[in-house]
């Protein structure tokens, strides 16, 4: 590895080992992206770079790979460049021909609509004239009956309209309505998904199956001593939103199974956390801790969802949680990636106090007591999680290196074709799977999917430390076709660091977890199967 002063070793830093020292993680700042917006970029990056000898240039070090592909990791930062690339791929003659056809079809539809409206108006006028003549001849006053079948629509300006789609478009409101009727309905996918697959259900009403599952959870939680084993069995397939906060606290070991002890435990742990704040937080600007605090402040705005993380109140809460954890765990200190692990707990525990979705919710509108409870609970549950995977974040991060090596061996057994394909183009597992282990796939999946995934991780023994390996293996093989379609190093790296999961929901996560469980069943108790 080069000794140049400008090139730092990837795994080690020459810094004094002080409590809360920072260890950088490559790639932790890159969120997943929407493949529909960046398809052209991926296509443009698929051309292999060759040397005069015709062989692909080999990146001998990670620093060389980083410098060669440094422009590939910031896709999406410049929308103008993407639009320009898209424009270059379009044939102007095809575009003009298509546009003319659209205009011609639109003109014909408008002419036909005007003719239909005129015919309807003329028919209505004739009926009114005939009705008036009949009334005049009989000399009687009659009240017209109200008929919903032929009542003029307010959109039709008094004209008879057979359906809303035939209403004339005369105002922006009418235009918006007409456009909505002509487009297929796509339900809004909430950040925190319901038990049913939100890809197929756009209604907020709870299904019969959901209601039945919720009743089972309530029965288990209602007893004086919660049966944690039964609670884990129920939680493996997903936890209803209404009982997720209390279930996560129980399964993480933050709360005792005994109902009578829970309130006193909560009060004690919350007071203990804010005692840490009074004791340590003022030292954040001290010489030994200011680098840690500065890095935390840099990383928080990079987190998702941005609408939540950019709220000043949320930023302050996350700064305190992460700084206190780093000070109390000097063996690892703060490492980029730990910041992501707070988010699911925070979002889930916010739902104890609100009914609406959290995307556009102003957290500062909550009462101070509620905010303090959410902050303390998030800190302790994150600490419980990290206690089981702390070797992922100690010096040189040995836990992650072992898991990435195990992932490589596992994939070589379950899908040799994919493994050989990546070897052929010199893709190292550490270059993409490091982030999968460091961030627990949070940068690869939407937050709603991460929360559903963590339902199972909480229910699975050693879910975050052991079962996660098999989830990563199933996740990689899930993209088998897309991986094999890439024919160069850069294309593979762009794909693997930006997998198209933005529209994933419960169904996809459930399939992923089922496949991971199958792999665990086959390999967990037979480690020799890793070897050939």
């Amino acid at each position: 590895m080069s000794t140049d002063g400008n090139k730092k070793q990837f795994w080690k830093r020459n810094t004094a080992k002080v409590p809360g020292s920072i260890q950088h993680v490559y790639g932790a700042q890159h969120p997943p992206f929407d493949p529909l917006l960046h398809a052209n970029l991926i296509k443009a990056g698929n051309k292999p770079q060759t040397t005069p000898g015709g062989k692909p240039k080999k990146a001998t070090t990670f620093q060389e790979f980083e410098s060669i592909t440094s422009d590939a990791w910031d896709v999406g930062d410049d929308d103008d460049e993407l639009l320009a690339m898209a424009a270059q791929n379009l044939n102007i003659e095809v575009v003009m021909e298509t546009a003319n056809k659209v205009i011609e079809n639109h003109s014909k539809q408008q002419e036909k609509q005007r003719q239909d409206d005129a015919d309807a108006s003329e028919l209505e006028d004739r009926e009114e004239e005939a009705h008036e003549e009949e009334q005049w001849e009989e000399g009687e006053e009659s009240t017209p009956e109200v008929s919903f079948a032929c009542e003029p629509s307010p959109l039709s300006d008094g004209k008879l309209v057979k359906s809303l789609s035939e209403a004339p478009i005369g105002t922006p409101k009418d235009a918006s309505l007409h456009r909505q009727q002509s487009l297929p309905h796509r339900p809004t996918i909430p950040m925190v998904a319901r038990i049913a697959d939100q890809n197929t259900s756009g209604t907020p009403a709870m299904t019969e199956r959901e209601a039945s599952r919720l009743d089972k959870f309530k029965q288990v939680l209602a007893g004086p001593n919660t049966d944690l084993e039964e609670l884990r069995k129920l939680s493996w397939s997903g936890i209803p939103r209404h009982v997720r906060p209390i279930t996560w606290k129980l399964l993480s070991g933050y709360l005792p199974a005994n109902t009578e002890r829970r309130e006193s435990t909560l009060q004690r742990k919350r007071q203990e956390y804010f005692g840490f704040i009074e004791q340590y937080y003022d030292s954040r600007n001290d010489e030994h801790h200011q680098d840690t605090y500065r890095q935390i402040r840099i990383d928080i705005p990079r987190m998702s969802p941005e609408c939540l993380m950019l709220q000043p109140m949320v930023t302050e809460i996350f700064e305190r949680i992460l700084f206190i954890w780093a000070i109390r765990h000097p063996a690892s200190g703060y490492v980029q990636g730990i910041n992501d692990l707070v988010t699911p707990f925070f979002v889930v525990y916010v739902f104890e106090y609100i009914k609406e979705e959290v995307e556009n919710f102003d957290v500062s509108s909550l009462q101070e007591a509620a905010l303090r409870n959410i902050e303390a609970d998030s800190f302790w549950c994150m600490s419980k999680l990290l206690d089981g995977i702390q070797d992922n974040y100690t010096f040189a991060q040995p836990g992650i290196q072992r898991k990435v090596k195990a992932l490589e061996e596992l994939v070589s057994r379950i899908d040799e074709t994919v493994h050989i394909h990546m070897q052929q183009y010199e893709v190292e597992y550490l270059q993409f799977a490091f982030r999968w282990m460091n961030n627990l796939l949070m940068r690869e999946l939407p937050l709603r999917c991460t929360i559903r995934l963590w339902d199972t991780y909480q229910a699975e023994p050693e879910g975050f430390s052991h079962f996660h390996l098999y989830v990563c293996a199933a996740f990689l093989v899930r993209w088998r076709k897309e991986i094999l379609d890439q024919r160069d190093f850069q294309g593979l790296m762009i794909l693997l660091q930006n997998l198209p999961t933005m529209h994933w929901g419960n169904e996809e996560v459930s399939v992923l977890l089922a496949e991971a469980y199958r792999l665990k069943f086959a390999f967990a108790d037979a480690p020799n199967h890793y070897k050939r």
Side-chain angles (χ1 to χ4, degrees):
M1 185 173 291
S2 174
T3 59
D4 188 351
N6 295 328
K7 293 184 178 180
K8 297 180 180 178
Q9 294 186 13
F10 177 56
W11 293 114
K12 299 180 181 179
R13 287 195 62 199
N14 240 354
T15 57
K17 289 189 275 185
V18 298
S21 61
I22 309 163
Q23 298 179 29
H24 288 278
V25 176
Y26 178 80
Q29 70 272 25
H30 302 296
F33 81 140
D34 193 335
L36 301 178
L37 298 177
H38 300 84
N40 291 319
L41 180 60
I42 294 177
K43 292 178 181 177
N46 285 345
K47 296 180 181 179
Q49 299 180 359
T50 59
T51 59
K55 296 182 180 180
K57 181 179 178 180
K58 180 178 179 181
T60 57
T61 67
F62 191 87
Q63 284 75 20
E64 289 184 18
F65 153 68
E66 183 181 7
S67 62
I68 293 171
T69 61
S70 60
D71 60 334
W73 313 133
D74 295 327
V75 291
D77 290 346
D78 192 343
D79 292 338
D80 294 336
E81 291 183 6
L82 295 177
L83 294 174
M85 293 176 63
Q88 291 177 359
N89 295 332
L90 297 177
N91 186 312
I92 189 63
E93 295 181 359
V94 174
V95 172
M96 293 303 298
E97 182 181 355
T98 303
N100 290 332
K101 288 182 179 180
V102 171
I103 294 172
E104 182 180 353
N105 291 338
H106 183 66
S107 300
K108 290 180 179 179
Q109 291 177 358
Q110 282 191 327
E111 183 63 29
K112 182 179 179 182
Q113 182 176 334
R114 284 195 293 269
Q115 184 64 37
D116 291 343
D117 291 342
D119 294 343
S121 178
E122 183 179 353
L123 177 60
E124 184 180 358
D125 292 341
R126 290 178 180 176
E127 290 178 352
E128 289 180 355
E129 290 176 1
H131 187 64
E132 289 175 359
E133 291 177 0
E134 182 180 353
Q135 286 183 337
W136 180 261
E137 290 175 359
E138 295 179 358
E140 297 178 353
E141 293 184 359
S142 61
T143 303
E145 296 181 0
V146 178
S147 174
F148 292 99
C150 60
E151 182 178 353
S153 168
L155 297 172
S156 63
D157 297 331
K159 299 178 182 180
L160 180 65
V161 179
K162 290 180 286 185
S163 68
L164 288 176
S165 60
E166 296 181 9
I169 304 174
T171 65
K173 181 178 180 181
D174 297 338
S176 176
L177 179 62
H178 183 78
R179 182 170 61 255
Q180 292 173 5
Q181 292 162 351
S182 62
L183 295 174
H185 174 65
R186 294 190 64 183
T188 301
I189 301 178
M191 181 187 303
V192 181
R194 294 162 46 241
I195 292 297
D197 182 12
Q198 63 271 37
N199 291 337
T200 58
S201 175
T203 61
M206 185 177 294
T207 65
E208 183 178 350
R209 178 177 178 272
E210 291 175 342
S212 175
R213 282 180 51 78
L214 180 58
D215 288 341
K216 291 180 181 178
F217 272 91
K218 289 181 177 179
Q219 290 175 8
V220 173
L221 295 170
N225 288 286
T226 302
D227 186 345
L228 295 181
E229 190 60 33
E230 183 64 24
L231 188 61
R232 288 190 181 95
K233 291 179 181 178
L234 289 174
S235 301
W236 208 100
S237 301
I239 304 172
R241 168 179 159 173
H242 305 77
V243 295
R244 182 177 277 130
I246 182 65
T247 303
W248 276 25
K249 292 174 186 176
L250 286 166
L251 294 181
S252 65
Y254 175 46
L255 283 185
N258 185 274
T259 307
E260 296 179 355
R261 295 174 50 209
R262 288 177 191 170
E263 188 61 33
S264 60
T265 300
L266 284 175
Q267 291 180 3
R268 176 172 55 83
K269 299 297 284 185
R270 289 166 179 172
Q271 290 175 1
E272 186 178 354
Y273 169 72
F274 284 101
F276 295 152
I277 296 291
E278 295 177 3
Q279 182 178 356
Y280 298 117
Y281 196 59
D282 288 340
S283 68
R284 62 189 182 279
N285 293 318
D286 291 354
E287 181 180 357
H288 293 304
H289 298 150
Q290 60 183 359
D291 287 344
T292 296
Y293 183 64
R294 175 181 172 275
Q295 190 61 51
I296 289 172
R297 296 192 67 184
I298 291 174
D299 290 342
I300 289 176
R302 299 172 176 172
M303 298 164 61
S304 61
E306 290 184 0
C307 58
L308 186 65
M309 295 305 152
L310 294 181
Q311 296 184 31
M313 181 63 70
V314 177
T315 300
E316 293 174 9
I317 290 174
F318 274 58
E319 287 176 0
R320 289 193 292 266
I321 290 175
L322 294 169
F323 182 78
I324 296 302
W325 190 90
I327 294 301
R328 285 178 48 78
H329 296 81
S332 62
Y334 172 71
V335 178
Q336 288 176 303
I338 292 178
N339 53 315
D340 283 324
L341 306 184
V342 185
T343 309
F345 291 115
F346 182 82
V347 170
V348 167
Y349 296 153
V350 165
F351 278 114
E352 285 188 282
Y353 302 93
I354 67 174
K355 294 182 180 180
E356 62 267 34
E357 299 300 333
V358 76
E359 287 95 328
N360 301 315
F361 180 74
D362 183 6
V363 175
S364 63
S365 64
L366 289 172
Q367 296 181 359
E368 183 180 358
L371 289 171
R372 289 171 63 89
N373 293 344
I374 293 169
E375 179 177 348
D377 295 346
S378 299
F379 169 82
W380 286 114
C381 288
M382 184 199 74
S383 298
K384 290 286 187 181
L385 186 161
L386 289 172
D387 286 347
I389 57 173
Q390 191 168 355
D391 62 343
N392 285 7
Y393 305 104
T394 53
F395 180 73
Q397 300 180 269
I400 290 180
Q401 296 194 57
R402 287 195 301 270
K403 290 169 185 174
V404 171
K405 183 62 177 176
L407 175 65
E408 182 176 358
E409 294 172 349
L410 183 57
V411 173
S412 69
R413 294 295 295 163
I414 63 178
D415 198 325
E416 186 177 11
T417 303
V418 169
H419 178 70
I420 293 176
H421 184 77
M422 290 196 293
Q423 283 186 328
Q424 178 183 354
Y425 294 102
E426 301 175 351
V427 174
E428 299 290 340
Y429 282 75
L430 196 64
Q431 293 168 344
F432 64 90
F434 181 90
R435 191 172 75 185
W436 295 10
M437 302 298 179
N438 187 71
N439 301 74
L440 298 179
L441 288 177
M442 282 197 62
R443 295 282 172 157
E444 325 310 319
L445 298 172
L447 181 57
R448 60 182 178 273
C449 295
T450 298
I451 291 175
R452 168 61 190 91
L453 189 69
W454 284 24
D455 286 346
T456 300
Y457 281 4
Q458 298 271 14
E460 184 73 21
E462 298 182 326
F464 293 97
S465 60
H466 186 61
F467 186 63
H468 180 68
L469 167 66
Y470 300 98
V471 172
C472 288
F475 187 65
L476 179 62
V477 176
R478 161 68 176 76
W479 306 103
R480 184 180 196 276
K481 179 180 182 300
E482 290 81 355
I483 291 172
L484 297 179
D485 286 344
Q486 298 297 326
R487 298 294 178 176
D488 62 77
F489 174 83
Q490 183 171 336
L492 280 167
M493 288 304 303
I494 292 176
L495 171 67
L496 291 169
Q497 292 207 347
N498 300 278
L499 291 165
T501 61
M502 294 302 294
H503 300 291
W504 270 33
N506 279 1
E507 182 178 352
E508 289 82 359
V509 175
S510 297
V511 172
L512 178 68
L513 289 167
E515 177 62 17
Y517 184 81
R518 186 186 69 83
L519 294 176
K520 178 192 173 187
F521 185 82
F523 292 96
D525 297 326
N528 288 334
H529 287 340
Y530 286 146
K531 311 296 182 182
R532 293 188 173 280

